[in-house]
Amino acid sequence: MSKLVFLSDFVLQEQDVSPDIAKVLAAVEIASKIVSHDIRQAGLVDHILGAQGLDNIQGEAQQKLDLVADDAFIDAFQNCGAVCGIASEENEDFVAFTSDEAKNADLIVLFDPLDGSSNIDVNVSIGTIFSIYRRVSAKGTPATLEDMLQPGTEQVAAGYVLYGSSTMLIYAAAKGVNGFTLDPQSNQFCLSHPNLLMPSVGRMYAMNEGNINACDPKLKSYLAYCQSDENDFNAPYSGRYIGSLVADFHRNLIKGGIYIYPAVHAHPAGRLRLLYECNPLAFIAEKSGGLATTGQERILELKPTSLHQRVPYFVGSKNMVEKAMSLLQ
Ligand code: AHM
Ligand code: MG
């Protein structure tokens, strides 16, 4: 059997990652192992399953595990020595860390601590999504809102942890995308999916089709194309919608496919958050050869206007996203 390559060794030796990015990845490792462990015990211990009784800033019911994950990641970033501030989907405002070490740090992390939280109680895959930027404010001062509202093109790295049938960490940086699987025996993330490339077309489409009458009617032509014999495979694609973006995205990254969350009546600007969900996955998509747009514009070029901004989202295999866009014109 070939030697296992741990994430901690990989980032230092093969990816030429700066020491501060390595510290953030170490923080992601620590927090995601805590969350992964908690998820594996869900149902057996009290503090894991169910709603905790309050809504988050977006008016969505917070689950207990949303908060467990949020605390674990904030603690890890705060203590890693490389991050001056964070913003999380679960908190109304960003947090500028106050220690001298943090004020002198260079990195910002934006994250969704637990994506797909409506799936927590039903044992379906969920994940953590994160995005890393360099600050634009001066070192030695507290992080600012401007640091948080940078376009996705400024991301230095991004990734996600998928708590699925195994726990995986996907990490994308300038040189490409690599996947690591948490080995339960050693409790280490080990390189399992080197140099991931998203197929340019796949046989699967993911959209909440319950929304079909609540969105742009032109989308019906794209779904009809997916369901027809007239597409790239001359056979209907398969519909696959998990309802955890990170899990739907991961399947499409490996097998090829498209994920769509358009503007709908209930969410006129789209449902997914630009900073915590769309930008990091757009970065990973592009680094692996895929594409992410609003249906009109490239996601990574949007200039964020607020922390919890939502956008319509088309992400996945390049040819499929381009085809969907062509039918929306
Ligand atoms: P969350 O971050 O609160 O879990 O919300 C985002 C989730 C995505 O993971 C998922 O694709 C989508 O919302 C599901 O929405 P819907 O239930 O409207 O289909
Ligand atoms: Mg989410």
Side-chain angles (χ1 to χ4, degrees):
M1 192 179 145
S2 58
K3 185 176 173 297
L4 292 178
V5 177
F6 295 158
L7 172 66
S8 47
D9 295 331
F10 180 87
V11 293
L12 295 176
Q13 290 164 13
E14 305 209 20
Q15 281 284 89
D16 193 21
V17 172
S18 63
D20 54 356
I21 298 278
K23 286 181 185 171
V24 175
L25 281 173
V28 169
E29 271 204 76
I30 291 168
S32 63
K33 285 176 185 174
I34 293 170
V35 174
S36 181
H37 179 261
D38 275 358
I39 288 170
R40 306 290 171 213
Q41 297 192 91
L44 298 176
V45 288
D46 277 349
H47 68 290
I48 305 292
L49 290 185
Q52 59 87 35
L54 294 173
D55 288 351
N56 67 11
I57 172 66
Q58 3 248 331
E60 297 156 344
Q62 276 179 321
Q63 305 299 306
K64 290 178 189 165
L65 200 56
D66 281 327
L67 298 184
V68 169
D70 198 39
D71 288 349
F73 278 92
I74 292 177
D75 273 1
F77 293 136
Q78 185 157 23
N79 291 316
C80 80
V83 176
C84 59
I86 60 98
S88 152
E89 184 182 304
E90 293 304 328
N91 299 305
E92 179 167 1
D93 217 344
F94 68 92
V95 181
F97 296 142
T98 51
S99 70
D100 286 344
E101 183 182 45
K103 280 195 252 175
N104 282 303
D106 198 26
L107 298 177
I108 300 291
V109 184
L110 309 181
F111 63 100
D112 179 354
L114 211 56
D115 177 62
S117 43
S118 68
N119 280 325
I120 291 172
D121 288 358
V122 291
N123 202 0
V124 171
S125 301
I126 48 184
T128 299
I129 309 173
F130 64 93
S131 180
I132 307 173
Y133 295 80
R134 296 216 173 270
R135 69 189 302 171
V136 290
S137 58
K139 271 194 186 182
T141 63
T144 63
L145 182 60
E146 203 192 350
D147 291 324
M148 313 290 152
L149 299 183
Q150 300 184 56
T153 46
E154 297 304 310
Q155 288 172 98
V156 184
Y160 59 82
V161 182
L162 177 64
Y163 312 103
S165 46
S166 63
T167 295
M168 280 195 74
L169 190 155
I170 301 294
Y171 172 67
K175 286 189 176 174
V177 183
N178 289 280
F180 302 81
T181 301
L182 184 61
D183 169 30
Q185 218 168 1
S186 62
N187 201 31
Q188 293 286 340
F189 282 103
C190 302
L191 181 63
S192 53
H193 295 63
N195 302 318
L196 279 166
L197 292 175
M198 189 183 284
S200 59
V201 65
R203 286 173 176 268
M204 292 183 217
Y205 71 96
M207 178 179 151
N208 180 346
E209 288 189 68
N211 285 327
I212 195 64
N213 294 317
C215 62
D216 183 341
K218 292 196 203 101
L219 254 180
K220 282 189 181 165
S221 358
Y222 180 65
L223 293 194
Y225 169 83
C226 292
Q227 293 158 0
S228 76
D229 293 331
E230 312 300 317
N231 55 44
D232 307 86
F233 295 103
N234 299 117
Y237 298 161
S238 292
R240 290 279 190 284
Y241 188 72
I242 297 169
S244 291
L245 167 66
V246 66
D248 280 307
F249 178 89
H250 185 72
R251 184 197 56 245
N252 293 342
L253 173 61
I254 305 289
K255 294 193 163 184
I258 185 170
Y259 173 98
I260 301 172
Y261 210 114
V264 297
H265 295 162
H267 299 290
R271 171 169 161 80
L272 300 176
R273 273 71 32 149
L274 176 60
L275 298 191
Y276 318 114
E277 294 164 325
C278 302
N279 266 338
L281 297 185
F283 182 86
I284 299 165
E286 289 201 6
K287 290 292 174 199
S288 61
L291 186 61
T293 76
T294 61
Q296 317 290 334
E297 296 167 273
R298 184 178 171 222
I299 290 288
L300 294 181
E301 288 177 12
L302 299 176
K303 173 74 187 104
T305 52
S306 62
L307 285 176
H308 298 286
Q309 181 178 353
R310 298 173 191 254
V311 289
Y313 202 40
F314 294 66
V315 65
S317 294
K318 190 163 186 286
N319 294 359
M320 299 174 88
V321 175
E322 282 172 349
K323 180 69 183 178
M325 289 173 75
S326 72
L327 294 176
L328 286 178
Q329 303 313 312

